[in-house]
Amino acid sequence: MHKRHPLTAACAALILLPALAWAQNATDQLQRQFPDQARRGVLRVTAPPDILLDGKPDRLSPGARIRSTDRRIVMAEQLVGQELPVNYLREGMGLVHEVWLLTPAEQAQHRAGKGERVQRNYRFASEADLPAN
């Protein structure tokens, strides 16, 4: 039987540890890029394909994709009853087609959607006394 020298394992560990640390650091720094059209909301899957989006009834499109925080596809059935912060896109018929579950860091980034004031280029007469935006 061939005997290994104890320094061989130690040398291998010294070589691999920095490489593993670098790989983990690179993975942590990779941030998902969301399309500019993606909106922010809170998703609650009730009975797929039926969902609540920001508390309002909505529907997933056939073939909708839900991506977890680790970039994996998740089935809507796995999320029933959970309220989850998401970015989402709609397809041409208005159904929710792309959904990204958000990490806390991604939630901190500003995105139009839930709680966003509607911007208008006109004012009602009843708003005449209010300061302009």
Side-chain angles (χ1 to χ4, degrees):
M1 183 188 229
H2 185 264
K3 228 178 179 184
R4 280 190 165 178
H5 194 278
L7 288 179
T8 306
C11 289
L14 287 175
I15 293 169
L16 290 177
L17 283 176
L20 290 173
W22 178 81
Q24 180 63 37
N25 191 26
T27 302
D28 290 344
Q29 290 179 2
L30 286 178
Q31 290 198 6
R32 295 187 288 180
Q33 298 296 315
F34 302 109
D36 291 338
Q37 305 86 359
R39 309 286 290 174
R40 176 72 46 84
V42 176
L43 172 77
R44 183 180 188 93
V45 179
T46 53
D50 295 325
I51 60 172
L52 294 176
L53 195 55
D54 297 331
K56 297 175 189 157
D58 218 320
R59 196 167 177 91
L60 294 171
S61 69
R65 292 182 293 254
I66 302 173
R67 292 181 176 90
S68 70
T69 56
D70 59 355
R71 299 175 175 86
R72 296 176 191 219
I73 299 293
V74 178
M75 302 306 291
E77 292 79 14
Q78 296 174 288
L79 305 175
V80 172
Q82 300 178 49
E83 284 200 2
L84 302 161
V86 297
N87 284 346
Y88 65 93
L89 283 175
R90 295 185 181 275
E91 46 99 73
M93 298 294 289
L95 300 175
V96 177
H97 187 66
E98 299 273 349
V99 178
W100 294 270
L101 305 181
L102 300 178
T103 65
E106 291 167 342
Q107 291 176 46
Q109 297 170 355
H110 176 73
R111 174 144 322 249
K114 185 174 175 14
E116 191 77 10
R117 282 186 64 186
V118 176
Q119 296 294 316
R120 304 183 306 225
N121 62 354
Y122 59 89
R123 292 178 60 173
F124 291 108
S126 61
E127 297 174 322
D129 297 332
L130 297 176
N133 297 11

